[in-house]
Amino acid sequence: MLKISVNSLKPGTRLGKDIYSKDSKLLLRRGTFITQAHLNVFAKRRIREVYILESDLPVKVLPDFECVYNNCLNTVKSFMLRAKLGEGLDFEEIGETIDSLFEQVLNQADILKKMRLIKKRGEYLFSHSVNVALLCMLLGKWLDCEPVTIKELGLAGLFHDIGKVYVDEAILNKPGRLTAAEFEHIKKHTLLGYIFLNDNSWINKSISSAVLMHHERADGSGYPLGKKGYDVNFYAAVVAVADIYDAITSDRVYSPKRSPCVAIETIWDESFGRLNPKITKVFFDRMTSFFMGKRVLLSNNQEGTVVYVDPGEPTKPTVMAGNRLYNLRVDRSISIKRVID
Ligand SMILES: [Fe+2]
Ligand SMILES: [Fe+2]
């Protein structure tokens, strides 16, 4: 039951509670469909608010995913270019961006598919930032985090590579393999992003720390601090998983995009000692259902449908192609080349 103003009441809505006159006479029963005549009586009797059944509320139409995505992409591009010139972050602009992504992550069905179908445009850094923000929020949702935590995870994802605006573009966009010195230069983006965010006082410390630590690994092999285990901030550990997934499934200057299977397998390999197991467990559980029923292209160029996924190895499902069943756990020579839909 929900109390609403009579001004916003539409004919056809059902009453959620009986209405009585000032002298306690029953005027209308709960469940009555409101007509224009009832609205006129309410106005005459100065009844300003009534209870309605919540099930009668109009269903809110979710904004189009691609539209929201492209708006966010423009915002990211604009604040990153301003950050490069030394300008701070606009609290309201960023807040609106995160709210719009949060609404999509919470209510949009099959967001991973929607992300896959987005036609990429512009620089990788900008789309990668939006993608990692979306994936961090999705992981937050899967981990049953509170809304405020999911939004902060989104901010950590959105800003994780902001320090790259301060590194040498020629090195950042170098198509070939980086030299050791060039890699050392790129590594600075973690610290540079952290310093930039700390100058924006409204940014929570766990978000700036996540940006600093998103390349740290639990075995101490990461950078810039070589932190170990749970010393790696939780937000940073979420960003790490999202970052690997998006980097592998996106086109980059030095490598074309690969299938989600390759990303999942990489995260699987890293989940033994390098990534946070609480996060990777939820990731694999969800990815098991992600593959069920999907159309896939196999490495032997056969198209088929995933009919069974083993939770222990979600990237090696059983696929029905034509009238043949391929169990990819057994037939290791065949793999999934691409997820079609
Ligand atoms: Fe990074
Ligand atoms: Fe990244």
Side-chain angles (χ1 to χ4, degrees):
M1 223 168 23
L2 191 77
K3 195 182 197 179
I4 68 161
S5 159
V6 164
N7 294 333
S8 51
L9 196 58
K10 299 266 180 297
T13 312
R14 279 174 303 162
L15 275 184
K17 204 172 175 182
D18 297 343
I19 297 181
Y20 291 88
S21 64
K22 285 202 172 104
D23 53 352
S24 305
K25 281 194 187 122
L26 179 68
L27 294 176
L28 287 173
R29 279 199 186 283
R30 174 188 153 89
T32 304
F33 282 95
I34 301 296
T35 62
Q36 188 54 52
H38 291 132
L39 294 178
N40 297 341
V41 172
F42 294 155
K44 213 164 134 194
R45 289 184 174 260
R46 301 213 171 128
I47 296 171
R48 301 195 203 286
E49 289 174 323
V50 293
Y51 284 90
I52 61 158
L53 298 173
E54 270 178 76
S55 53
D56 284 1
L57 283 176
V59 178
K60 194 170 176 273
V61 179
L62 192 64
D64 176 65
F65 178 76
E66 192 164 352
C67 234
V68 171
Y69 185 96
N70 286 332
N71 282 340
C72 290
L73 199 58
N74 289 336
T75 306
V76 168
K77 186 174 178 180
S78 145
F79 77 65
M80 282 204 175
L81 295 177
R82 280 183 274 136
K84 192 171 182 173
L85 300 171
E87 258 185 65
L89 295 165
D90 183 311
F91 173 79
E92 272 186 31
E93 178 189 53
I94 307 283
E96 273 174 27
T97 301
I98 283 297
D99 285 347
S100 64
L101 293 179
F102 177 75
E103 186 184 31
Q104 293 289 323
V105 168
L106 242 58
N107 303 305
Q108 194 66 262
D110 206 350
I111 204 147
L112 289 172
K113 178 179 173 182
K114 292 218 158 55
M115 287 172 71
R116 232 179 28 250
L117 296 177
I118 287 276
K119 289 165 213 76
K120 294 281 153 44
R121 60 184 177 88
E123 268 183 57
Y124 167 74
L125 177 59
F126 308 135
S127 55
H128 175 61
S129 301
V130 177
N131 293 348
V132 174
L134 279 165
L135 292 166
C136 284
M137 290 169 113
L138 191 63
L139 283 165
K141 178 179 142 181
W142 290 346
L143 287 156
D144 283 330
C145 295
E146 294 290 327
V148 62
T149 306
I150 297 178
K151 288 185 186 183
E152 287 186 347
L153 284 169
L155 287 170
L158 204 61
F159 298 140
H160 80 287
D161 275 343
I162 197 165
K164 284 190 176 168
V165 299
Y166 305 114
V167 305
D168 187 336
E169 264 183 68
I171 300 177
L172 191 65
N173 297 322
K174 183 179 167 181
R177 212 178 166 78
L178 296 180
T179 63
E182 286 167 341
F183 186 48
E184 285 307 313
H185 179 73
I186 291 283
K187 279 178 171 181
K188 288 183 188 161
H189 77 278
T190 48
L191 187 60
L192 294 170
Y194 175 71
I195 293 168
F196 169 76
L197 291 178
N198 278 344
D199 286 341
N200 290 267
S201 56
W202 63 270
I203 302 274
N204 184 322
K205 282 279 169 279
S206 37
I207 297 168
S208 51
S209 299
V211 171
L212 178 69
M213 296 188 210
H214 71 277
H215 287 288
E216 300 287 356
R217 294 294 179 260
D219 61 0
S221 63
Y223 64 86
L225 306 166
K227 292 255 181 204
K228 279 190 175 177
Y230 289 103
D231 283 346
V232 178
N233 148 321
F234 172 73
Y235 287 5
V238 173
V239 175
V241 174
D243 193 23
I244 295 172
Y245 184 86
D246 186 63
I248 294 175
T249 54
S250 301
D251 282 316
R252 290 171 287 170
V253 272
Y254 48 89
S255 105
K257 69 175 176 188
R258 316 278 303 274
S259 101
C261 294
V262 178
I264 295 166
E265 276 163 3
T266 306
I267 293 168
W268 176 262
D269 291 342
E270 300 251 325
S271 68
F272 300 101
R274 283 170 55 80
L275 295 169
N276 181 320
K278 187 181 166 194
I279 300 162
T280 52
K281 159 119 188 30
V282 167
F283 176 79
F284 290 119
D285 288 350
R286 295 293 178 144
M287 281 301 164
T288 306
S289 46
F290 163 79
F291 276 114
M292 261 318 281
K294 286 270 184 291
R295 292 282 301 161
V296 291
L297 179 69
L298 297 174
S299 54
N300 62 1
N301 289 325
Q302 291 256 0
E303 260 187 50
T305 304
V306 173
V307 290
Y308 175 73
V309 185
D310 190 300
E313 220 174 352
T315 60
K316 301 265 181 266
T318 301
V319 177
M320 177 64 98
N323 51 11
R324 207 182 140 182
L325 211 53
Y326 292 91
N327 181 346
L328 306 190
R329 285 198 88 189
V330 177
D331 194 345
R332 310 298 281 195
S333 64
I334 298 173
S335 61
I336 293 176
K337 200 162 149 188
R338 191 160 59 84
V339 177
I340 300 167
D341 58 33

